[in-house]
Amino acid sequence: MPIDRSKEPAIKQIGSFSLPKLEQIRLDNGIPVYVLNTGDQQVTKLDLIMKGGRCDETAFMESNVTASLLSEGAAGRSGKEIAENLDYYGAWFGANASLHHVSAKLFSTNRHFREVIPVFRDMIWQPTFPEKELSNIKTLSAQRLATNLEKVDYMANAEFSRQFYGDSHPLGDMPDVSKIEGITRESVKEFHDKWFGADNATLLISGIVTDEILHELNRYWGQPWRNAAAHDSASDSPHAEYQPATTVVHKQGAMQSAVKMTLPAVLRTHPDYLPLRILVTALGGYFGSRLMTNIREDKGYTYGISASLLGMLDHSFITVSSQCDNSYTRAVVDEIGKEMELLRQEPIGTEELERLKSYMLCDLARTLDTPFSIAEYYATMIAYRFPESYFDDQVKTLQQITPEKLLEMAQKYLDPEQALTVLAGDKDIIG
C-alpha cells in the first residue's frame, strides 16, 4: 500500500530500552576492567579512570597540567616519538582532568592494538614530565586563562565558585594567571606519584573486544605496578555555608552581562533526584523549555539560556546560565524567577509533559547509538559511582512521571528567593 505523504505520521512514545551489560574482569595486578563487547567495526576504545583530580590539587591547575604532560614524553620516548608512533598505527590518545579523576582515552584499530597498548601504558606509568614541554603548557594555559578572564561568563562562574565552595576549597580558588607559575615539575611528579597506581585505576574497554585484545591488555597493564596507596578523592562538598545573595562582578565597558543563578539540590542517590532532573529540563534544559520560550523566543532578551541539575559525588545544585545585553540583565533575572514561580503554582500541562518526555527519552536513546557512546556513559557512571540501575531508573521515571510529581519537586526545590545569583558585566549599566 503506497504511503500517503499528505498525512502527518502518528507520533508514538519510545518503548522500553536499556544499556547492554558490562562484563567485569581483573588483570593480574588487580586492576578492574569493564568490558563492553559490541559493535561491527574492528576498532577498540580504552578508557582509563584514575582517581585524583581538581579537588586534590595542591597548586592551581595541577591536575590539568599533569594530564596534558602524559603524552609529552614517557619511558625514553619523546613527545614527538609518541605522536609519530600513534599516528603511524592510526591511534589517538587524549587525557583530561575532572573534579575527582584524570581520564585518558586510547582509540586503536584491533589490528594494531598490540603495537600501541605498550605506548599507552608507558604514558600513564612512566611519564617524564620534560621541563620544556611543562613550560610550554604553562604558557599556553596562562594565555588561555588570561583570555577567559576577560569573558563575563567566565567571571560569573569564577565568582559563583568562590562564594559557593569557599576560598579554602580547591574548587573555590579564584583563577589567577600568576598561580600557574606555582606549578613545577616536582609538584606535577608528586601529584602523579600520589594518585597514579594500580590501586587507584579502573579500565573500560569497548568495541569488538577479542580474547587476543584482552590478552595484550593484561600482558602490558597486568604487570606489577607501584601501588600508590589507595585514596579517595577529596570531597566536592562546599566549605562555605550556602547563603542566598546577589553579587555583581564589574567589567568596565562590557557590552554584555552574564547571569548565573544557583539553588542547592539533592544527591543522585536521593529519590527526588530523577524527578527533579525532569523538572529542571522543563525549566531550561532543551530548546522548547520554559526559559527558552519566554526569554529568548517571546521577549528576545538573550540568544540562549539554559538550566541544569549538576550532580557531583558529594553534593549537587541547580544552575541557570545566560548572557544578554546589560540593559536586559535585571529583566532576565526577574523572568527566571517568574518561570520558577509558575512551575511552583501550576502543574505542567499534558501536551508540554508529553513533549518533554519524548525529548528526554530520545536523548537517552541516543546514548545507545554507538559502542563508544555507550562506553562514554558507562565511564561517567563508574567515575561518579552512579547506581547500576541508573539508566533504567531514568527510563522508568520518565515513563511514570506526572504533573503532580513535578509540581511537588518545584515547590521543594525551585524557590527563587533562595538563589545565589552572580551577575557579571558593566555595573554602571546593570545597576
Side-chain angles (χ1 to χ4, degrees):
M1 184 176 179
I3 299 173
D4 185 351
R5 300 189 183 276
S6 65
K7 291 183 179 180
E8 195 174 290
I11 297 175
K12 299 179 180 179
Q13 285 288 350
I14 294 178
S16 296
F17 54 94
S18 61
L19 287 174
K21 299 301 181 184
L22 294 178
E23 177 189 359
Q24 185 176 2
I25 61 174
R26 283 190 180 270
L27 303 182
D28 288 347
N29 58 10
I31 294 177
V33 181
Y34 292 90
V35 182
L36 178 64
N37 194 351
T38 184
D40 54 13
Q41 300 293 322
Q42 294 292 325
V43 181
T44 299
K45 175 173 179 264
L46 183 61
D47 286 277
L48 168 70
I49 304 163
M50 185 70 65
K51 289 181 184 178
R54 289 173 53 206
C55 286
D56 309 294
E57 295 177 343
T58 58
F60 180 67
M61 290 190 68
E62 185 177 63
S63 59
N64 281 287
V65 171
T66 302
S68 298
L69 280 168
L70 294 174
S71 60
E72 296 297 338
R77 298 184 182 93
S78 68
K80 180 181 178 181
E81 289 170 331
I82 290 171
E84 287 176 345
N85 180 283
L86 296 178
D87 187 59
Y88 180 80
Y89 290 113
W92 181 90
F93 170 85
N96 67 281
S98 59
L99 298 188
H100 300 283
H101 306 90
V102 170
S103 300
K105 304 177 190 299
L106 175 72
F107 289 86
S108 170
T109 62
N110 285 15
R111 179 182 177 186
H112 295 302
F113 186 81
R114 69 171 61 189
E115 282 80 20
V116 296
I117 189 60
V119 181
F120 180 65
R121 186 224 28 211
D122 290 346
M123 284 190 285
I124 305 302
W125 291 23
Q126 302 179 66
T128 54
F129 304 124
E131 287 281 6
K132 181 180 178 181
E133 282 70 16
L134 171 60
S135 178
N136 290 340
I137 288 172
K138 286 167 61 175
T139 299
L140 289 171
S141 299
Q143 291 172 346
R144 191 177 299 117
L145 178 58
T147 300
N148 285 334
L149 287 171
E150 295 298 314
K151 299 176 181 178
V152 290
D153 60 331
Y154 193 91
M155 295 169 66
N157 283 326
E159 178 60 21
F160 155 74
S161 295
R162 185 189 71 80
Q163 292 192 39
F164 186 79
Y165 290 104
D167 295 326
S168 63
H169 197 291
L171 300 181
D173 193 8
M174 288 297 284
D176 189 323
V177 171
S178 66
K179 293 178 180 177
I180 295 176
E181 288 304 315
I183 302 173
T184 65
R185 183 177 183 275
E186 288 70 30
S187 66
V188 169
K189 190 174 184 306
E190 285 176 9
F191 182 90
H192 183 272
D193 288 347
K194 178 177 180 179
W195 292 102
F196 282 59
D199 287 343
N200 289 325
T202 301
L203 291 168
L204 168 62
I205 189 166
S206 55
I208 297 182
V209 185
T210 63
D211 290 341
E212 182 182 0
I213 292 286
L214 293 177
H215 171 77
E216 294 298 326
L217 181 63
N218 188 57
R219 177 185 174 190
Y220 289 101
W221 273 80
Q223 295 176 8
W225 182 18
R226 66 172 181 79
N227 285 321
H231 297 289
D232 279 328
S233 177
S235 174
D236 53 46
S237 290
H239 290 172
E241 182 180 351
Y242 183 82
Q243 298 279 349
T246 298
T247 303
V248 178
V249 181
H250 180 55
K251 178 165 177 57
Q252 183 71 38
M255 301 298 293
Q256 285 194 319
S257 61
V259 175
K260 188 174 184 68
M261 294 179 66
T262 306
L263 290 162
V266 291
L267 294 176
R268 289 183 188 272
T269 52
H270 194 283
D272 284 351
Y273 186 87
L274 291 179
L276 180 58
R277 185 170 177 268
I278 298 171
L279 174 71
V280 174
T281 304
L283 175 65
Y286 72 119
F287 196 82
S289 67
R290 297 283 185 97
L291 294 178
M292 284 290 281
T293 300
N294 176 0
I295 297 174
R296 181 190 191 276
E297 297 298 306
D298 293 347
K299 295 188 171 61
Y301 288 160
T302 178
Y303 183 75
I305 185 167
S306 63
S308 304
L309 174 59
L310 300 180
M312 314 301 186
L313 274 180
D314 305 307
H315 83 284
S316 71
F317 58 85
I318 301 163
T319 184
V320 179
S321 301
S322 185
Q323 293 186 64
C324 61
D325 185 276
N326 288 314
S327 60
Y328 293 145
T329 307
R330 296 293 178 178
V332 168
V333 173
D334 290 343
E335 292 301 322
I336 294 171
K338 288 177 183 177
E339 291 300 337
M340 288 183 180
E341 287 293 350
L342 282 173
L343 287 168
R344 286 161 58 86
Q345 294 167 10
E346 301 173 4
I348 286 178
T350 302
E351 182 179 343
E352 180 183 1
L353 182 56
E354 289 304 309
R355 183 172 67 246
L356 173 64
K357 289 166 62 176
S358 179
Y359 165 79
M360 295 189 73
L361 285 167
C362 287
D363 194 48
L364 275 175
R366 277 195 291 272
T367 302
L368 308 178
D369 280 352
T370 70
F372 297 156
S373 63
I374 298 169
E376 199 71 31
Y377 192 92
Y378 266 125
T380 302
M381 287 183 65
I382 293 165
Y384 284 90
R385 292 180 279 193
F386 294 5
E388 188 175 340
S389 63
Y390 187 71
F391 188 91
D392 292 342
D393 289 344
Q394 288 183 87
V395 175
K396 183 178 178 181
T397 302
L398 277 165
Q399 291 172 336
Q400 297 179 355
I401 197 70
T402 65
E404 292 73 25
K405 185 63 176 180
L406 294 177
L407 180 63
E408 177 193 340
M409 294 297 98
Q411 291 170 348
K412 289 174 71 171
Y413 300 106
L414 285 191
D415 183 356
E417 296 297 320
Q418 295 300 309
L420 170 59
T421 302
V422 179
L423 314 175
D426 194 322
K427 192 171 184 178
D428 297 332
I429 301 175
I430 293 173

